[in-house]
Amino acid sequence: MTYAVTGSTGQLGRLVIEALKSRTETDRIVALARDTEKAADLGVEARLFDYDKPETLAPALDGVDTLLLISGSDIGQRGRQHAAVIDAAKAAGVAHIVYTSLLNAPDNPIMLAQEHLETEKLLAESGVAHTLLRNGWYTENYLMSVPSAVEHGAMIGSAGDGRISSAARADFAEAAAVVLTDPSLQGEVYELAGDDSYTLADMAEAVSQASGKEIPYVDMPEADYAAALTQAGLPEDMAAFLAHCDAQAAKGALAHEGQALSRLIGRPTTPMPTLVAATVAG
Ligand SMILES: NC(=O)c1ccc[n+]([C@@H]2O[C@H](COP(=O)([O-])OP(=O)(O)OC[C@H]3O[C@@H](n4cnc5c(N)ncnc54)[C@H](OP(=O)(O)O)[C@@H]3O)[C@@H](O)[C@H]2O)c1
């Protein structure tokens, strides 16, 4: 059995390769990368694979049985890019595709859901056996704001009292490796999220505990939060996107009560306060 992972040089992909290495022989793992030099330190075979260069796709999948398609990072281009990957996988005779989708994709109001749903539909139409890992939010998305919260003495956001069931990238990566290597778990749709949900006020409390400073959570209207992020130096579209995600989180878009992720990885997901403490400790 040979496993290939797209986006292997990204943050999730690197963790998946590591998790796969502890479950199978390294010569059964192929790292697919648009820049193979970036994959040189992964310790497995790297093959050129660029979603925007269709001629690179099918040849790189030669001999691959199971493919992890980690969703691309180019928002707005992913429908086309994922379609090219699925076509190539079919042409190359890949038997099974595992795809990283979005938590509760059919009903998720976050604008990202559309491209994930399109990809899920393409997979269904492809006739290739597949498994959907509908990943919830990475806790790391919020950890990025911890240093500035400590520096400025407040954590800002637009998520109100919305509960966030995030998990560490490493938790999602381990689940992907488990599903890739265990055929009895395949063909399913997994809604994956952290065991414990929290609000941003809870996160501010965790930052206070870890830093020894009083860090309140200051909730803002979506437009004000976007403006604050722009003022802090983020590009306008990124700031608007993050504020949009927070505003949807306020309505419950990132909350989930199932425990499928911890069941797959055979341990509790990493608690948010643990990750906050590690971030504050640097
Ligand atoms: N659940 C969440 O909270 C969350 C948050 C952010 C993103 N996501 C989604 O999850 C995916 C993985 O997350 P991540 O944190 O690992 O993101 P990341 O670090 O940005 O990794 C994205 C990967 O996609 C690769 N890629 C981008 N365009 C490509 C192309 N044209 N051809 C081939 N490869 C291409 C990148 O290659 P390079 O290494 O060469 O750049 C990188 O390896 C993201 O791409 C996004 O779809 C989820």
Side-chain angles (χ1 to χ4, degrees), residues 6 16 27 97 109 119 152 207 231 280:
T6 77
V16 173
D27 63 1
I97 301 174
T119 307
H152 298 294
V207 177
Q231 213 177 358
V280 171

mmCIF file of all heavy atoms in Angstrom, residues 6 16 27 97 109 119 152 207 231 280:
data_model
loop_
_atom_site.group_PDB
_atom_site.id
_atom_site.type_symbol
_atom_site.label_atom_id
_atom_site.label_comp_id
_atom_site.label_asym_id
_atom_site.label_seq_id
_atom_site.Cartn_x
_atom_site.Cartn_y
_atom_site.Cartn_z
ATOM 1 N N THR A 6 -0.950 15.434 -0.386
ATOM 2 C CA THR A 6 -0.760 16.747 -1.022
ATOM 3 C C THR A 6 -0.498 17.784 0.078
ATOM 4 O O THR A 6 -0.746 17.535 1.260
ATOM 5 C CB THR A 6 -1.999 17.185 -1.839
ATOM 6 O OG1 THR A 6 -3.021 17.640 -0.938
ATOM 7 C CG2 THR A 6 -2.565 16.071 -2.703
ATOM 8 N N VAL A 16 1.071 15.396 9.160
ATOM 9 C CA VAL A 16 0.517 14.127 8.657
ATOM 10 C C VAL A 16 1.652 13.182 8.269
ATOM 11 O O VAL A 16 1.624 11.994 8.602
ATOM 12 C CB VAL A 16 -0.431 14.357 7.451
ATOM 13 C CG1 VAL A 16 -0.851 13.020 6.839
ATOM 14 C CG2 VAL A 16 -1.653 15.162 7.855
ATOM 15 N N ASP A 27 9.101 4.060 3.058
ATOM 16 C CA ASP A 27 9.104 3.905 1.596
ATOM 17 C C ASP A 27 7.700 3.675 1.030
ATOM 18 O O ASP A 27 7.539 3.486 -0.171
ATOM 19 C CB ASP A 27 10.095 2.806 1.153
ATOM 20 C CG ASP A 27 9.714 1.438 1.697
ATOM 21 O OD1 ASP A 27 8.682 1.334 2.395
ATOM 22 O OD2 ASP A 27 10.443 0.466 1.418
ATOM 23 N N ILE A 97 -9.494 8.193 -1.952
ATOM 24 C CA ILE A 97 -9.081 9.577 -1.678
ATOM 25 C C ILE A 97 -9.666 9.994 -0.331
ATOM 26 O O ILE A 97 -10.867 9.812 -0.076
ATOM 27 C CB ILE A 97 -9.595 10.560 -2.765
ATOM 28 C CG1 ILE A 97 -9.065 10.162 -4.148
ATOM 29 C CG2 ILE A 97 -9.185 11.999 -2.417
ATOM 30 C CD1 ILE A 97 -9.634 10.997 -5.296
ATOM 31 N N PRO A 109 -22.132 28.347 7.733
ATOM 32 C CA PRO A 109 -22.307 29.654 7.082
ATOM 33 C C PRO A 109 -20.989 30.348 6.725
ATOM 34 O O PRO A 109 -20.999 31.386 6.070
ATOM 35 C CB PRO A 109 -23.071 30.458 8.135
ATOM 36 C CG PRO A 109 -22.664 29.858 9.448
ATOM 37 C CD PRO A 109 -22.413 28.403 9.174
ATOM 38 N N THR A 119 -16.085 20.399 -3.728
ATOM 39 C CA THR A 119 -15.115 19.286 -3.809
ATOM 40 C C THR A 119 -15.765 17.982 -3.359
ATOM 41 O O THR A 119 -15.556 16.933 -3.979
ATOM 42 C CB THR A 119 -13.866 19.602 -2.956
ATOM 43 O OG1 THR A 119 -13.357 20.875 -3.355
ATOM 44 C CG2 THR A 119 -12.803 18.540 -3.128
ATOM 45 N N HIS A 152 -0.826 44.023 24.433
ATOM 46 C CA HIS A 152 -1.743 45.164 24.530
ATOM 47 C C HIS A 152 -2.701 45.072 25.714
ATOM 48 O O HIS A 152 -3.501 45.982 25.945
ATOM 49 C CB HIS A 152 -2.531 45.312 23.224
ATOM 50 C CG HIS A 152 -1.657 45.578 22.041
ATOM 51 N ND1 HIS A 152 -0.918 46.728 21.893
ATOM 52 C CD2 HIS A 152 -1.347 44.823 20.955
ATOM 53 C CE1 HIS A 152 -0.220 46.679 20.771
ATOM 54 N NE2 HIS A 152 -0.461 45.525 20.190
ATOM 55 N N VAL A 207 -5.245 32.971 28.741
ATOM 56 C CA VAL A 207 -4.072 33.832 28.496
ATOM 57 C C VAL A 207 -3.691 34.546 29.797
ATOM 58 O O VAL A 207 -2.505 34.661 30.133
ATOM 59 C CB VAL A 207 -4.352 34.848 27.359
ATOM 60 C CG1 VAL A 207 -3.160 35.784 27.162
ATOM 61 C CG2 VAL A 207 -4.666 34.127 26.059
ATOM 62 N N GLN A 231 -5.703 47.873 10.955
ATOM 63 C CA GLN A 231 -4.827 48.852 11.615
ATOM 64 C C GLN A 231 -3.573 48.177 12.196
ATOM 65 O O GLN A 231 -2.493 48.761 12.229
ATOM 66 C CB GLN A 231 -5.595 49.538 12.735
ATOM 67 C CG GLN A 231 -5.173 50.965 12.934
ATOM 68 C CD GLN A 231 -6.020 51.639 14.016
ATOM 69 O OE1 GLN A 231 -6.930 51.040 14.584
ATOM 70 N NE2 GLN A 231 -5.702 52.875 14.300
ATOM 71 N N VAL A 280 2.354 31.201 25.288
ATOM 72 C CA VAL A 280 2.808 32.289 26.163
ATOM 73 C C VAL A 280 4.242 32.020 26.626
ATOM 74 O O VAL A 280 5.072 32.930 26.681
ATOM 75 C CB VAL A 280 1.849 32.460 27.372
ATOM 76 C CG1 VAL A 280 2.432 33.421 28.396
ATOM 77 C CG2 VAL A 280 0.481 32.964 26.884
#
